[in-house]
């Protein structure tokens, strides 16, 4: 035990000796002096793993935290990877564009990255200020960069930060996927000491507002000239960086200025009004609902803190708040239907955990359709992509401009759709009813379990692999797939997919056409996530109510049965 403590202290002192950040040095010095072995083990018991989500973790000293030392190593590894990729090229030094949000340490991490890239002989350009992630993704393509980095933890808790990498060239400006992630990780692991990493004091470029102006000019491609613009919105950036860019985009497009939720309008890394800065989390939208009750808009729009996601709420008279949050799958279907009516042509794509409804919309429009693993790193690489979405509020409506989810352009497109419907005396809810009548009601839900002990997730996955359920919600499981070995066009992933037969069920009044369950660990949070879908045919408008009751009952029963099967 004494030897373990001594080894922890030795590792911590070695880290302290080269830590460039006074704040994390002070924190680590206090832990060493107190010989707080539990806290030290929590910070030095391994390393943050660099993968297809880049890096993400809690701020603090040590290799298992996000800090300047970890970021400098990550930047050095990325620079080494880029230099090797360019070794056979006759071109000059490649450009790396770096963006960042308003979280704690984001600006520091961005400057450190610029210093490392410049020191490695690459060209580096910082975005002019904290900006939405889609602006960075746009800049990679617009400037012909070899890579882009954005420093953000998206909608994670305030004490987290992250580091996401995009590749230009053959990467198309999308997030990294294998094998690039493993190759970059190997270069990071090869960094022996921060003293071995050249860091320039100057020499990188700080871009001006022209890059934001170019992004805003590109948003024109999303909308139809001359379409209605009369739609009143309440908007919240949830203390993130989306406000100024979204307001500028709405003004440029000719929409009335959204009413911004005052308490959440300014960037604030503490996220003081929400437990989790994610519009999907309970309570996160309460202030937006209150603002809407005072101003009576047509819809509510929310971005997550780095503005790559877009949430939408619609009036719901008679409910407790007077508003209903649309699910990501509902917004995904609405945008798809809108694009179809605008005669959009190309591949429509979504992920294996999103609703199957998009496949029916694409088929009816005679457009190609593809399913990928979760994440826009996969969706962005679909051949001939025209539109992609994932249920976690991510939408790509202009893949030629941004090869990633974009909460600003998605907000513009949903506003255009709402304005067009309003001009004919209709609304988004009525269009959702029409979609259900045409394609069947595709109801989705999630069972999401947040844990502090990650072994609970692996235990649950192991239990389901050993004993896959034969029935769920009274419906027989006709196919149980372990996605760890890959499936069809899908590369291997830690996930399970269950296909259920249709039929009558005691859980509702109507016949169920089909149901589906996907179970996977979250890639960015300590959660086990289960994605549920029930499809119920709808023969006539007056059958919608019963179809919704049936679908809701089936989804509820799926949660109960799946929880029992997984031992949750």
């Amino acid at each position: 035990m004494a030897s373990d403590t001594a080894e922890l202290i030795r590792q911590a002192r070695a880290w302290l000796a080269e830590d460039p950040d006074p704040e994390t040095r002070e924190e680590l010095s206090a832990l060493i002096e107190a010989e707080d072995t539990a806290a030290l083990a929590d910070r030095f018991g391994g390393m943050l793993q660099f993968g297809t989500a880049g890096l993400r973790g809690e701020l603090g000293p040590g290799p298992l935290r996000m800090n300047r030392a970890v970021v400098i190593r990550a930047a050095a590894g990325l620079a080494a990877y880029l230099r090797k990729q360019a070794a056979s090229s006759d071109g000059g030094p490649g450009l790396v564009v770096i963006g960042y949000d308003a979280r704690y340490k984001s600006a520091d991490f961005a400057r450190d990255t610029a210093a490392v890239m410049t020191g490695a002989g690459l060209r580096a350009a910082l975005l002019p200020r904290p900006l939405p992630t889609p602006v960075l993704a746009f800049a990679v393509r617009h400037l012909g960069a070899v890579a882009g980095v954005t420093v953000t933890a998206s909608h994670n808790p305030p004490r987290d930060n992250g580091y996401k990498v995009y590749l230009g060239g053959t990467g198309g400006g999308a997030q990294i996927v294998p094998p690039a992630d493993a190759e970059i990780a190997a270069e990071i692991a090869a960094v022996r000491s921060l003293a071995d990493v050249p860091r320039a004091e100057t020499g990188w470029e700080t871009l001006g507002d022209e890059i934001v102006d170019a992004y805003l000019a590109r948003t024109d491609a999303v909308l139809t000239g001359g379409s209605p613009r009369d739609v009143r919105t309440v908007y919240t950036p949830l203390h993130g960086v989306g406000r100024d860019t979204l307001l500028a985009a709405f003004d440029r497009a000719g929409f009335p200025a959204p009413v911004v939720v005052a308490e959440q309008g300014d960037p604030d890394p503490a996220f003081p009004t929400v437990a989790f800065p994610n519009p999907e989390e309970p309570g996160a939208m309460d202030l937006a609902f209150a603002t809407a009750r005072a101003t009576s808009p047509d819809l509510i729009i929310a971005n997550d803190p780095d503005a790559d996601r877009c949430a939408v709420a619609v009036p719901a008279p008679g409910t407790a708040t007077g508003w209903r949050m649309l699910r990501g799958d509902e917004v995904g279907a609405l945008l798809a239907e809108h694009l179809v009516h605008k005669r959009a042509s190309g591949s429509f794509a979504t992920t294996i955990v999103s609703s199957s409804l998009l496949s029916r919309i694409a088929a009816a429009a005679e457009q190609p359709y593809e399913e990928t693993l979760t994440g826009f790193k996969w969706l962005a690489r679909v051949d001939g992509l025209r539109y992609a979405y994932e249920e976690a509020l991510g939408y790509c409506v202009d893949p030629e401009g941004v090869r990633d989810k974009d909460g600003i352009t998605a907000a513009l497109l949903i506003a255009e759709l709402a304005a067009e419907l309003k001009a004919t005396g209709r609304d988004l809810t009525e269009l959702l009813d029409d979609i259900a009548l045409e394609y069947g009601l595709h109801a989705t839900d999630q069972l999401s379990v947040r844990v502090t002990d990650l072994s609970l997730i692996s235990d649950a996955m192991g239990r389901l692999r050993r004993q896959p359920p034969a029935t769920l919600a009274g419906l027989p499981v006709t196919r149980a797939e372990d996605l760890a070995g890959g499936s069809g066009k899908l590369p291997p992933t830690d996930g399970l997919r269950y296909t259920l037969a249709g039929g009558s069920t005691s859980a509702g009044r109507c016949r169920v056409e089909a149901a589906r369950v996907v179970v996977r660990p979250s890639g960015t949070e300590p959660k086990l996530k289960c994605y549920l879908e029930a499809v119920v045919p709808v023969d006539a408008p007056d059958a919608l109510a019963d179809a919704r009751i049936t679908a809701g009952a089936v989804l509820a029963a799926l949660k109960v049965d799946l929880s029992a099967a997984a031992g949750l």
Side-chain angles (χ1 to χ4, degrees):
M1 187 68 174
S3 61
D4 291 343
T5 299
E7 175 59 18
L8 273 175
I9 297 294
R10 186 198 67 76
Q11 291 180 31
R13 289 192 186 280
W15 188 277
L16 182 67
E18 61 176 20
D19 189 339
D21 190 329
E23 291 184 20
T24 47
R25 284 178 57 84
E26 181 180 354
E27 180 182 341
L28 185 54
S29 294
L31 295 176
I32 293 171
E33 184 176 349
E35 295 191 359
D36 189 338
T37 55
L40 289 171
D42 195 40
R43 290 157 175 78
F44 288 87
M47 294 185 68
L48 279 183
Q49 295 302 303
F50 187 94
T52 51
L55 294 168
R56 192 174 293 188
E58 185 178 347
L59 293 165
L64 273 174
R65 292 289 188 270
M66 283 295 298
N67 51 66
R68 290 183 61 197
V70 163
V71 165
I72 290 168
R73 283 181 167 84
L78 175 59
Y81 168 85
L82 293 173
R83 285 170 60 87
K84 286 184 178 179
Q85 293 297 305
S88 60
S89 170
D90 295 329
L95 172 66
V96 180
V97 188
I98 304 154
Y100 55 102
D101 65 11
R103 283 177 176 268
Y104 296 119
K105 297 292 181 181
S106 286
D108 294 336
F109 296 166
R111 283 192 294 270
D112 282 332
T113 300
V116 171
M117 295 300 162
T118 305
L122 296 159
R123 292 183 295 129
L126 282 171
L127 292 188
R129 58 183 176 279
L131 284 164
T133 290
V135 177
L136 179 279
F138 165 81
V140 173
R141 290 173 66 85
H142 180 70
L143 299 175
V146 296
V149 171
T150 186
V151 181
T152 180
S154 189
H155 54 272
N156 276 38
R159 285 293 300 169
D160 287 3
N161 214 326
Y163 196 85
K164 189 185 298 184
V165 176
Y166 297 75
L167 289 180
T170 57
Q175 297 174 48
I176 56 170
V177 294
D181 58 341
E183 293 170 0
I184 295 170
E187 297 291 351
I188 295 171
V191 178
R192 294 174 300 173
S193 166
L194 293 194
D196 298 330
V197 180
R199 280 177 278 163
E201 296 291 333
T202 59
W204 58 85
E205 179 184 3
T206 298
L207 299 171
D209 279 343
E210 68 278 356
I211 191 65
V212 183
D213 294 339
Y215 168 82
L216 290 170
R218 178 70 204 181
T219 62
D220 293 346
V222 175
L223 304 175
T224 302
S227 61
R229 295 290 190 267
D230 179 22
V231 62
R232 293 172 295 110
T233 58
V234 159
Y235 168 70
T236 176
L238 286 181
H239 302 293
V241 296
R243 180 190 60 194
D244 293 349
T245 307
L246 182 134
L247 292 181
F250 269 57
D251 179 64
R252 180 184 179 92
F255 289 110
V259 175
V260 178
V261 177
E263 302 92 332
Q264 298 173 334
D266 293 329
D268 189 334
F271 303 106
T273 68
V274 291
F276 289 94
N278 179 353
E280 293 180 294
E281 291 285 347
M285 295 295 292
D286 286 353
L287 288 171
F289 294 151
T291 303
R293 287 193 294 271
T295 57
S296 300
D298 298 304
L299 73 162
I300 298 172
I301 292 173
N303 287 139
D304 66 338
D306 69 328
D308 62 354
R309 289 174 170 85
C310 177
V312 179
V314 295
T319 61
T321 64
W323 289 83
R324 179 174 82 85
M325 292 294 296
L326 297 183
R327 292 191 171 277
D329 285 316
E330 292 178 306
V331 177
L334 287 168
L335 291 175
E337 192 76 355
H338 187 42
L339 288 168
V340 163
H341 284 285
K342 288 160 65 85
R343 301 189 182 280
S345 177
S347 294
F348 283 53
T350 191
T351 69
I352 59 171
V353 303
S354 302
S355 172
S356 60
L357 174 57
L358 185 64
S359 65
R360 299 191 179 188
I361 294 173
E366 299 183 340
Q367 298 300 318
Y369 169 78
E370 281 201 38
E371 278 185 5
T372 73
L373 295 182
T374 56
F376 268 84
K377 56 185 177 284
W378 300 110
L379 286 170
R381 286 173 165 76
V382 169
D383 288 341
L385 183 66
R386 177 58 186 87
Y387 168 66
Y389 94 90
E390 61 181 355
E391 50 72 42
L393 309 182
Y395 315 95
C396 176
V397 300
D398 177 27
E400 291 306 307
V402 175
R403 281 270 161 170
D404 198 8
K405 55 187 175 292
D406 183 345
I408 305 297
T409 51
L412 286 171
L413 198 60
I414 201 73
E416 179 185 59
L417 173 58
E420 289 185 1
L421 291 168
K422 183 180 178 180
T424 63
R426 306 179 72 237
D427 59 26
L428 296 176
T429 302
E430 290 170 302
L431 180 54
L432 284 171
D433 289 348
D434 290 347
I435 292 171
L437 285 165
E438 185 169 358
Y439 303 108
L441 177 67
H442 289 63
T444 57
D445 202 354
Q446 270 193 42
L447 172 64
S448 183
V449 182
R450 184 181 291 272
V451 300
T452 54
D453 180 358
L454 292 177
S455 69
L456 296 176
I457 293 177
S458 57
D459 289 348
M461 294 296 290
R463 190 175 292 108
L464 289 170
R465 285 189 165 103
R466 290 190 301 273
Q467 295 180 310
T471 63
L472 291 167
L475 299 170
V477 176
T478 58
R479 188 178 184 188
E481 299 172 86
D482 187 344
L483 302 178
S487 177
K489 293 183 179 181
L490 300 176
T493 188
D494 186 9
L496 302 165
R497 178 165 59 182
Y498 304 113
T499 303
L500 283 64
S504 300
T505 170
S506 59
R509 305 176 184 178
C510 307
R511 181 184 177 278
V512 178
E513 180 181 327
R516 184 220 65 203
V517 173
V518 177
V519 184
R520 59 178 283 269
S522 170
T524 56
E525 298 177 89
K527 286 182 177 180
L528 181 67
K529 304 185 83 170
C530 310
Y531 304 84
L532 320 172
E533 180 178 43
V535 182
V536 181
V538 183
D539 298 327
D542 59 7
L544 268 169
D546 281 349
R548 289 196 175 97
I549 291 171
T550 297
V554 170
L555 294 173
L558 285 173
K559 288 183 181 181
V560 172
D561 291 355
L562 191 61
S563 294
L568 299 174

